[in-house]
Every structure is written in C-alpha cells, then in structure tokens.
Amino acid sequence: MGTFKAWVVEKNEGGQSLAFRDFDEADLMEGDVTVRVSHSGLNYKDGLALTGKSPVVRRFPMIPGIDFAGTVETSDHSAYKPGDAVVLTGWGVGETHLGAYAEKARVKGDWLVPLPQGLSPEQAMAVGTAGYTAMLSLMALDAHGVTPADGPALVTGASGGVGSVAVALLAQAGWHVIASTGRPGETDYLKGLGAAEILDRAELEKPGRPLGKERWAAAIDAVGSATLANVLAMTKADGAVAACGLAQGMDLPTSVAPFILRGVSLLGINSVTTPLPKRREAWARIARELDLDKLAAMTRKVTLPEVGRLGDEILSGHVRGRTVVTVG
C-alpha cells in the first residue's frame, strides 16, 4: 500500500478545514472493492461538504465527493473483478464514508453499478448524482402515469445540475418543458437543452396562495420551500410533482388544498439508498435516452487540484449545468 492525492476535510477547535494532500491507502475505510477513480462530479451536497456550511460531513477526517467513475483495482466481491469499469452514487460516500475527491476509493461492491454501455466514465460523471436524480424523478412521474398529453412539465432550478439534465430528459421524452430560472442570461442555454418556455423563478419563490391557476401537469423540483409550495398550488388536477432538492430550504409552507381539491401527488425522490434494480434501470435509461450532445453542452471540466475553490461557487448559484472532475 502507498499514498495517493486527495482532498481531506478535518475538524478542530477552529472549525472545518480543507486540504489537498497525500492520503495513506491503509487509512481507507472498510470495503470489498478498491477503485482507481478516474472522474467525479460536483453536486450541491459537495459544495456543502467542501465549505462546511451545512453539517453533511459526519465523520472526520473525510474525503468529500459523493460520486465517482473508475476502474476496479482489487475486489473480494463476486460481481466485480480487476479492470471492471464502475460507477458509484450515494450510500453516504463523501458524508459518512470516505469519498470521491481522491485517486482511490474503497467501498462496498453492493454500492457499485457497472459503467452503463454507451457511456464513457467522463460522460457518466457528467451525468453524476444530479443527472441520476433527474432520471429517478422522471421515472417517478412515468410510474404515476402522467404523460406529455396531459400538459406541460415544469423544471425548477433549471440551469443547475439536476435541472439541466431534467430539461433535456423531459424534452427528449416529448414534454413541453417550462424551465424556471433566476438567471435570464441562461435563456439560450436552456432552450438549447429543449426548454420551450422560460419562467422567472421570482414568480415561484415568494409565499403564494394555497391554490393558483393550473399551469402544468408535472414538475421536477430541486428547490423546495416556497417554490415547491407554489409549484404544487399551480399543478393541474391529478398531476404530480417529483421533489428532489432543497436549494431554497427544507421547509414546505403549503396546505392540503392541492392534494385534496385537485388530487395532486407529491413524489419524494431519494437518490442515496436506491435499491440496486432501480439504480441499474435508471442508469440504463440514462444511457438510452439522454442526448449526449446536450450533455456535452451542459458540462465543463476541471482537474482534481481545482476542487477546493468550487464549493462556494456552486452554493452561490453560479455554476451552470454539470461539472466533471478529472481525477486520473
């Protein structure tokens, strides 16, 4: 065993610190598969971990980074052998288990999925946790039974990571997509991903009425709080909203009116501990359905040493689309 480069979060009396340094492989946590990480991504939760602005890190020292793609180095798991290309999202990696902003990771093989056919490791992390969450949201809407024939679909936080992939996926599936954003300069970007209309997020982020005019049949919300309350209030009868984020807040200042007067359904999306069959299905659908040209258009690349400056950037809302971290 030797050392490898990693971003490491420490905690002391002065608070949280972040350093890019050598990490001893012997100090990796228990797991039956060791992966040479080639790519990771940047997600909102990574910003919280890097900056310490929310206590998502619950073990110190911690290597942050909640998703990765890479190649198996060693394995005691029956499903994986050295040389296999794999992807990981969720399972507390980067929060309670040493994570992805490092050249190596040791994890449970049950947490991994094979790299989907048709995606490179870089493309898989351009999708990352954000895009995977967007697909889980679309799958939830499909399972509920709403279709493009029922009316438009709204995406909140549309220029962010989840939102960008959600816009592209919904448009590919035939939906008339309304993209909500607070950045008017992103209109051309969002229309390039497939948005048919742009909605100023100011119309949604302030406290509203229990019910409003019916405007969309489905929605994917990555914002939460008053925005989600307003989305619910303006969802058509028997429509559905997939809730997968909390950028505005964890509260939900709404009433039962949308649920009992219009039959609106609120669908919760948990991307962290998704069962393996559903996880594999989501990745297979991503590989089949996501337009890779649109994925490239929403993606920028950075190197592992650059990660330290990205936390404040994504929390401030200044990151558009997806960011791939090239590790090795």
Side-chain angles (χ1 to χ4, degrees):
M1 293 197 178
T3 62
F4 56 88
K5 290 294 186 183
W7 283 98
V8 182
V9 176
E10 302 271 11
K11 191 172 185 179
N12 51 44
E13 293 180 1
Q16 180 174 304
S17 64
L18 178 68
F20 189 55
R21 64 171 176 82
D22 289 334
F23 195 89
D24 196 320
E25 188 173 349
D27 293 330
L28 286 172
M29 297 172 68
E30 289 185 6
D32 50 10
V33 180
T34 301
V35 178
R36 170 65 67 171
V37 178
S38 64
H39 298 84
S40 185
L42 177 68
N43 301 279
Y44 191 83
K45 190 179 286 186
D46 294 317
L48 296 174
L50 289 166
T51 61
K53 291 184 177 178
S54 181
V56 297
V57 174
R58 296 187 290 279
R59 177 203 185 273
F60 297 93
M62 173 56 64
I63 297 174
I66 66 171
D67 50 25
F68 66 72
T71 304
V72 173
E73 272 196 349
T74 63
S75 174
D76 292 320
H77 191 282
S78 60
Y80 299 101
K81 63 184 186 302
D84 286 347
V86 294
V87 174
L88 180 142
T89 61
W91 300 112
V93 170
E95 301 174 74
T96 58
H97 191 97
L98 296 176
Y101 292 152
E103 293 173 329
K104 288 192 180 186
R106 184 181 297 133
V107 298
K108 294 181 179 180
D110 289 343
W111 296 350
L112 300 168
V113 296
L115 178 71
Q117 187 173 1
L119 294 180
S120 69
E122 181 179 305
Q123 289 169 328
M125 281 301 101
V127 175
T129 299
Y132 165 69
T133 302
M135 175 52 81
L136 290 177
S137 300
L138 176 57
M139 288 167 60
L141 294 173
D142 288 346
H144 183 75
V146 285
T147 72
D150 296 321
L154 173 74
V155 177
T156 64
S159 57
V162 174
S164 292
V165 180
V167 168
L169 287 171
L170 287 164
Q172 185 72 19
W175 287 89
H176 178 100
V177 181
I178 303 171
S180 171
T181 181
R183 295 185 255 175
E186 303 291 11
T187 295
D188 290 343
Y189 164 75
L190 291 168
K191 289 191 172 181
L193 296 181
E197 297 180 47
I198 307 299
L199 177 68
D200 190 332
R201 74 179 181 201
E203 293 189 39
L204 299 173
E205 63 186 3
K206 295 178 181 178
R209 295 177 298 171
L211 286 176
K213 181 181 177 181
E214 297 179 57
R215 299 177 65 177
W216 36 78
I220 295 176
D221 174 66
V223 178
S225 192
T227 294
L228 177 53
N230 283 312
V231 171
L232 290 164
M234 289 184 272
T235 299
K236 291 186 173 186
D238 299 317
V241 178
C244 61
L246 45 71
Q248 188 178 357
M250 292 185 67
D251 61 321
L252 182 54
T254 188
S255 73
V256 298
F259 311 117
I260 66 173
L261 298 180
R262 287 186 182 158
V264 172
S265 294
L266 178 59
L267 312 175
I269 306 301
N270 167 26
S271 66
V272 176
T273 57
T274 314
L276 186 58
K278 188 174 183 180
R279 193 175 286 266
R280 285 176 175 260
E281 180 189 356
W283 277 106
R285 283 192 59 175
I286 288 166
R288 290 196 309 267
E289 298 174 25
L290 182 59
D291 185 320
L292 296 182
D293 289 334
K294 290 182 179 179
L295 181 64
M298 69 177 80
T299 303
R300 64 167 179 167
K301 293 184 280 188
V302 300
T303 61
L304 184 60
E306 297 178 86
V307 162
R309 65 174 174 80
L310 300 179
D312 285 322
E313 194 176 322
I314 192 167
L315 296 186
S316 68
H318 293 150
V319 173
R320 181 176 82 177
R322 297 288 296 136
T323 299
V324 171
V325 179
T326 302
V327 177

